[in-house]
Amino acid sequence: MSMQIKEEGAVRSGPLRTLITVWALAGGALIALVVMVNVLSVAGGALWRPFPGDFEITEMGVAVAASMFLPHCQLNHCNVTADIFTAGLPPRWVAALSALASLVALGFSLLLLTRMYVGMLDQKAYSYTTAILQLPHWMAYAVFLVSLLLLAIAAVMTFVANVRDARA
């Protein structure tokens, strides 16, 4: 039944869906780069010298990549749900509850978007950087902002699809 609901609440393909998918794939590529840095650091520590700032790259890279997956998860209904509560409900009710969940996701993404923007401005104004590599913190915030904007767009797209399904 869960698979049927996912198919019913599917968001139709289009340029925004493609953009969100490409954004998530870029997040996967970033994770692969972080893994390579860690492999180089471990190998370097054993053979010659470790990669300086590897933990900074890992910390920032994993956080940024995780944010890049959020819109894709929203768009494909891959968020954690408690299907035990909706297992016996008609598909229309499940679609209506999913629409409500999409509105909550939209609200949180917009709230986080505004707060992260203010945080990015602070990070930039005070020139905060990482300790070893001196990477500016605000650069990570900028990627987070794009992710949160795409999450808001994905939430609107899933809301529309779920309302369509609830009315059908």
Side-chain angles (χ1 to χ4, degrees):
M1 176 153 181
S2 180
M3 190 60 152
Q4 177 188 5
I5 293 166
K6 287 182 183 178
E7 289 172 4
E8 287 177 4
V11 176
R12 294 185 177 118
S13 61
L16 288 174
R17 184 176 184 83
T18 302
L19 175 63
I20 288 169
T21 301
V22 168
W23 189 249
L25 289 171
L30 181 57
I31 288 288
L33 283 171
V34 167
V35 168
M36 285 192 289
V37 165
N38 281 281
V39 167
L40 282 173
S41 183
V42 169
L47 301 175
W48 56 98
R49 60 179 229 172
F51 189 91
D54 61 335
F55 63 92
E56 292 176 347
I57 293 172
T58 300
E59 188 176 58
M60 286 179 84
V62 169
V64 167
S67 77
M68 295 172 80
F69 300 138
L70 293 174
H72 187 264
C73 289
Q74 176 66 34
L75 199 58
N76 292 290
H77 304 283
C78 295
N79 294 317
V80 176
T81 59
D83 291 341
I84 192 167
F85 297 112
T86 59
L89 293 177
R92 288 179 119 181
W93 280 77
V94 175
L97 290 171
S98 294
L100 180 62
S102 293
L103 284 179
V104 170
L106 175 62
F108 274 115
S109 64
L110 293 176
L111 175 67
L112 288 173
L113 184 67
T114 59
R115 301 317 307 154
M116 290 292 283
Y117 178 72
V118 171
M120 182 188 74
L121 293 179
D122 283 346
Q123 295 291 322
K124 197 169 182 179
Y126 293 111
S127 301
Y128 287 131
T129 61
T130 60
I132 296 172
L133 297 176
Q134 298 296 302
L135 297 171
H137 285 187
W138 70 266
M139 291 182 354
Y141 278 73
V143 178
F144 269 97
L145 292 175
V146 174
S147 294
L148 290 169
L149 178 62
L150 289 174
L151 177 58
I153 291 168
V156 169
M157 292 169 70
T158 56
F159 174 77
V160 169
N162 288 318
V163 167
R164 181 190 67 227
D165 291 343
R167 289 183 178 170

PDB file of all heavy atoms in Angstrom, residues 2 17 22 30 34 55 62 84 91 95 99 106 118 128 130 145 155 157 167:
ATOM      1  N   SER A   2       1.973   1.199   0.728  1.00  0.00           N
ATOM      2  CA  SER A   2       2.863   2.350   0.793  1.00  0.00           C
ATOM      3  C   SER A   2       3.399   2.714  -0.582  1.00  0.00           C
ATOM      4  O   SER A   2       3.501   3.870  -0.923  1.00  0.00           O
ATOM      5  CB  SER A   2       4.003   2.060   1.762  1.00  0.00           C
ATOM      6  OG  SER A   2       4.850   3.159   1.828  1.00  0.00           O
ATOM      7  N   ARG A  17      12.201  19.310 -11.351  1.00  0.00           N
ATOM      8  CA  ARG A  17      12.516  17.968 -10.860  1.00  0.00           C
ATOM      9  C   ARG A  17      13.923  17.561 -11.301  1.00  0.00           C
ATOM     10  O   ARG A  17      14.688  17.003 -10.519  1.00  0.00           O
ATOM     11  CB  ARG A  17      11.481  16.958 -11.352  1.00  0.00           C
ATOM     12  CG  ARG A  17      11.707  15.567 -10.803  1.00  0.00           C
ATOM     13  CD  ARG A  17      10.605  14.603 -11.242  1.00  0.00           C
ATOM     14  NE  ARG A  17      10.786  13.319 -10.636  1.00  0.00           N
ATOM     15  CZ  ARG A  17      10.400  12.981  -9.419  1.00  0.00           C
ATOM     16  NH1 ARG A  17       9.794  13.872  -8.663  1.00  0.00           N
ATOM     17  NH2 ARG A  17      10.614  11.789  -8.935  1.00  0.00           N
ATOM     18  N   VAL A  22      19.693  16.693 -10.132  1.00  0.00           N
ATOM     19  CA  VAL A  22      21.093  17.035 -10.401  1.00  0.00           C
ATOM     20  C   VAL A  22      21.741  17.582  -9.132  1.00  0.00           C
ATOM     21  O   VAL A  22      22.902  17.274  -8.831  1.00  0.00           O
ATOM     22  CB  VAL A  22      21.201  18.039 -11.575  1.00  0.00           C
ATOM     23  CG1 VAL A  22      22.593  18.635 -11.684  1.00  0.00           C
ATOM     24  CG2 VAL A  22      20.801  17.361 -12.877  1.00  0.00           C
ATOM     25  N   LEU A  30      30.007  15.264  -3.974  1.00  0.00           N
ATOM     26  CA  LEU A  30      30.713  15.919  -2.869  1.00  0.00           C
ATOM     27  C   LEU A  30      31.090  14.901  -1.786  1.00  0.00           C
ATOM     28  O   LEU A  30      32.208  14.929  -1.264  1.00  0.00           O
ATOM     29  CB  LEU A  30      29.852  17.040  -2.279  1.00  0.00           C
ATOM     30  CG  LEU A  30      30.454  17.831  -1.133  1.00  0.00           C
ATOM     31  CD1 LEU A  30      31.783  18.465  -1.518  1.00  0.00           C
ATOM     32  CD2 LEU A  30      29.473  18.892  -0.661  1.00  0.00           C
ATOM     33  N   VAL A  34      34.815  13.916  -0.376  1.00  0.00           N
ATOM     34  CA  VAL A  34      35.164  13.859   1.042  1.00  0.00           C
ATOM     35  C   VAL A  34      35.806  12.512   1.375  1.00  0.00           C
ATOM     36  O   VAL A  34      36.799  12.448   2.108  1.00  0.00           O
ATOM     37  CB  VAL A  34      33.914  14.118   1.922  1.00  0.00           C
ATOM     38  CG1 VAL A  34      34.170  13.762   3.370  1.00  0.00           C
ATOM     39  CG2 VAL A  34      33.474  15.570   1.809  1.00  0.00           C
ATOM     40  N   PHE A  55      39.779  17.024   8.482  1.00  0.00           N
ATOM     41  CA  PHE A  55      38.558  17.016   9.296  1.00  0.00           C
ATOM     42  C   PHE A  55      37.683  18.227   9.005  1.00  0.00           C
ATOM     43  O   PHE A  55      36.467  18.152   9.098  1.00  0.00           O
ATOM     44  CB  PHE A  55      38.890  16.916  10.792  1.00  0.00           C
ATOM     45  CG  PHE A  55      39.670  18.064  11.338  1.00  0.00           C
ATOM     46  CD1 PHE A  55      39.030  19.160  11.897  1.00  0.00           C
ATOM     47  CD2 PHE A  55      41.052  18.058  11.293  1.00  0.00           C
ATOM     48  CE1 PHE A  55      39.748  20.228  12.393  1.00  0.00           C
ATOM     49  CE2 PHE A  55      41.778  19.119  11.794  1.00  0.00           C
ATOM     50  CZ  PHE A  55      41.130  20.221  12.344  1.00  0.00           C
ATOM     51  N   VAL A  62      30.313  16.994   4.485  1.00  0.00           N
ATOM     52  CA  VAL A  62      29.189  16.115   4.840  1.00  0.00           C
ATOM     53  C   VAL A  62      27.947  16.938   5.174  1.00  0.00           C
ATOM     54  O   VAL A  62      26.837  16.595   4.751  1.00  0.00           O
ATOM     55  CB  VAL A  62      29.582  15.164   5.989  1.00  0.00           C
ATOM     56  CG1 VAL A  62      28.376  14.440   6.539  1.00  0.00           C
ATOM     57  CG2 VAL A  62      30.627  14.170   5.514  1.00  0.00           C
ATOM     58  N   ILE A  84       2.313   3.139  10.011  1.00  0.00           N
ATOM     59  CA  ILE A  84       1.414   2.342  10.851  1.00  0.00           C
ATOM     60  C   ILE A  84       0.129   3.122  11.157  1.00  0.00           C
ATOM     61  O   ILE A  84      -0.935   2.548  11.299  1.00  0.00           O
ATOM     62  CB  ILE A  84       2.116   1.886  12.145  1.00  0.00           C
ATOM     63  CG1 ILE A  84       1.269   0.836  12.842  1.00  0.00           C
ATOM     64  CG2 ILE A  84       2.395   3.054  13.069  1.00  0.00           C
ATOM     65  CD1 ILE A  84       2.010   0.105  13.939  1.00  0.00           C
ATOM     66  N   PRO A  91      -6.788   6.089   0.438  1.00  0.00           N
ATOM     67  CA  PRO A  91      -5.734   6.855  -0.239  1.00  0.00           C
ATOM     68  C   PRO A  91      -5.960   8.371  -0.228  1.00  0.00           C
ATOM     69  O   PRO A  91      -5.009   9.136  -0.157  1.00  0.00           O
ATOM     70  CB  PRO A  91      -5.741   6.309  -1.667  1.00  0.00           C
ATOM     71  CG  PRO A  91      -6.288   4.932  -1.535  1.00  0.00           C
ATOM     72  CD  PRO A  91      -7.261   4.986  -0.401  1.00  0.00           C
ATOM     73  N   ALA A  95      -3.294  11.053   1.123  1.00  0.00           N
ATOM     74  CA  ALA A  95      -2.852  12.164   0.280  1.00  0.00           C
ATOM     75  C   ALA A  95      -3.066  13.497   0.984  1.00  0.00           C
ATOM     76  O   ALA A  95      -2.213  14.396   0.914  1.00  0.00           O
ATOM     77  CB  ALA A  95      -3.586  12.141  -1.052  1.00  0.00           C
ATOM     78  N   ALA A  99      -0.236  16.095   2.044  1.00  0.00           N
ATOM     79  CA  ALA A  99      -0.287  17.516   1.682  1.00  0.00           C
ATOM     80  C   ALA A  99       0.007  18.383   2.909  1.00  0.00           C
ATOM     81  O   ALA A  99       0.747  19.368   2.820  1.00  0.00           O
ATOM     82  CB  ALA A  99      -1.650  17.871   1.089  1.00  0.00           C
ATOM     83  N   LEU A 106       7.380  22.968   3.878  1.00  0.00           N
ATOM     84  CA  LEU A 106       7.513  24.292   3.282  1.00  0.00           C
ATOM     85  C   LEU A 106       7.765  25.338   4.361  1.00  0.00           C
ATOM     86  O   LEU A 106       8.668  26.175   4.231  1.00  0.00           O
ATOM     87  CB  LEU A 106       6.259  24.644   2.477  1.00  0.00           C
ATOM     88  CG  LEU A 106       6.208  26.056   1.895  1.00  0.00           C
ATOM     89  CD1 LEU A 106       7.344  26.274   0.902  1.00  0.00           C
ATOM     90  CD2 LEU A 106       4.851  26.303   1.243  1.00  0.00           C
ATOM     91  N   VAL A 118      20.519  35.068   7.428  1.00  0.00           N
ATOM     92  CA  VAL A 118      21.047  35.978   8.448  1.00  0.00           C
ATOM     93  C   VAL A 118      22.368  35.431   9.000  1.00  0.00           C
ATOM     94  O   VAL A 118      23.336  36.174   9.191  1.00  0.00           O
ATOM     95  CB  VAL A 118      20.014  36.192   9.577  1.00  0.00           C
ATOM     96  CG1 VAL A 118      20.610  36.959  10.746  1.00  0.00           C
ATOM     97  CG2 VAL A 118      18.779  36.908   9.045  1.00  0.00           C
ATOM     98  N   TYR A 128      34.541  34.748   9.496  1.00  0.00           N
ATOM     99  CA  TYR A 128      34.839  33.466  10.140  1.00  0.00           C
ATOM    100  C   TYR A 128      35.388  32.484   9.111  1.00  0.00           C
ATOM    101  O   TYR A 128      34.852  32.364   8.004  1.00  0.00           O
ATOM    102  CB  TYR A 128      33.591  32.867  10.785  1.00  0.00           C
ATOM    103  CG  TYR A 128      33.160  33.567  12.038  1.00  0.00           C
ATOM    104  CD1 TYR A 128      31.840  33.962  12.210  1.00  0.00           C
ATOM    105  CD2 TYR A 128      34.049  33.812  13.067  1.00  0.00           C
ATOM    106  CE1 TYR A 128      31.427  34.595  13.374  1.00  0.00           C
ATOM    107  CE2 TYR A 128      33.649  34.445  14.232  1.00  0.00           C
ATOM    108  CZ  TYR A 128      32.345  34.840  14.376  1.00  0.00           C
ATOM    109  OH  TYR A 128      31.946  35.462  15.521  1.00  0.00           O
ATOM    110  N   THR A 130      37.687  28.465   8.723  1.00  0.00           N
ATOM    111  CA  THR A 130      38.134  27.254   9.407  1.00  0.00           C
ATOM    112  C   THR A 130      39.550  27.491   9.925  1.00  0.00           C
ATOM    113  O   THR A 130      40.282  28.348   9.417  1.00  0.00           O
ATOM    114  CB  THR A 130      38.099  26.040   8.466  1.00  0.00           C
ATOM    115  OG1 THR A 130      38.964  26.278   7.363  1.00  0.00           O
ATOM    116  CG2 THR A 130      36.687  25.764   7.973  1.00  0.00           C
ATOM    117  N   LEU A 145      21.658  27.571   1.551  1.00  0.00           N
ATOM    118  CA  LEU A 145      20.547  28.417   1.097  1.00  0.00           C
ATOM    119  C   LEU A 145      19.950  27.884  -0.199  1.00  0.00           C
ATOM    120  O   LEU A 145      18.722  27.858  -0.341  1.00  0.00           O
ATOM    121  CB  LEU A 145      21.017  29.859   0.931  1.00  0.00           C
ATOM    122  CG  LEU A 145      21.374  30.601   2.214  1.00  0.00           C
ATOM    123  CD1 LEU A 145      21.940  31.976   1.902  1.00  0.00           C
ATOM    124  CD2 LEU A 145      20.176  30.709   3.138  1.00  0.00           C
ATOM    125  N   ALA A 155       8.679  21.137  -1.744  1.00  0.00           N
ATOM    126  CA  ALA A 155       7.515  21.048  -0.853  1.00  0.00           C
ATOM    127  C   ALA A 155       6.265  21.570  -1.549  1.00  0.00           C
ATOM    128  O   ALA A 155       5.184  20.979  -1.415  1.00  0.00           O
ATOM    129  CB  ALA A 155       7.786  21.811   0.443  1.00  0.00           C
ATOM    130  N   MET A 157       5.804  21.563  -4.795  1.00  0.00           N
ATOM    131  CA  MET A 157       5.484  20.575  -5.838  1.00  0.00           C
ATOM    132  C   MET A 157       4.774  19.359  -5.250  1.00  0.00           C
ATOM    133  O   MET A 157       3.788  18.875  -5.828  1.00  0.00           O
ATOM    134  CB  MET A 157       6.766  20.154  -6.555  1.00  0.00           C
ATOM    135  CG  MET A 157       7.388  21.264  -7.394  1.00  0.00           C
ATOM    136  SD  MET A 157       9.047  20.869  -7.995  1.00  0.00           S
ATOM    137  CE  MET A 157       8.690  19.601  -9.196  1.00  0.00           C
ATOM    138  N   ARG A 167      -8.067  15.086  -4.131  1.00  0.00           N
ATOM    139  CA  ARG A 167      -9.322  15.440  -4.817  1.00  0.00           C
ATOM    140  C   ARG A 167      -9.786  14.360  -5.778  1.00  0.00           C
ATOM    141  O   ARG A 167     -10.950  14.310  -6.127  1.00  0.00           O
ATOM    142  CB  ARG A 167      -9.128  16.748  -5.588  1.00  0.00           C
ATOM    143  CG  ARG A 167      -9.016  17.946  -4.696  1.00  0.00           C
ATOM    144  CD  ARG A 167      -8.904  19.197  -5.507  1.00  0.00           C
ATOM    145  NE  ARG A 167      -8.843  20.360  -4.643  1.00  0.00           N
ATOM    146  CZ  ARG A 167      -8.558  21.565  -5.059  1.00  0.00           C
ATOM    147  NH1 ARG A 167      -8.307  21.779  -6.342  1.00  0.00           N
ATOM    148  NH2 ARG A 167      -8.528  22.568  -4.216  1.00  0.00           N
TER     149      ARG A 167
END
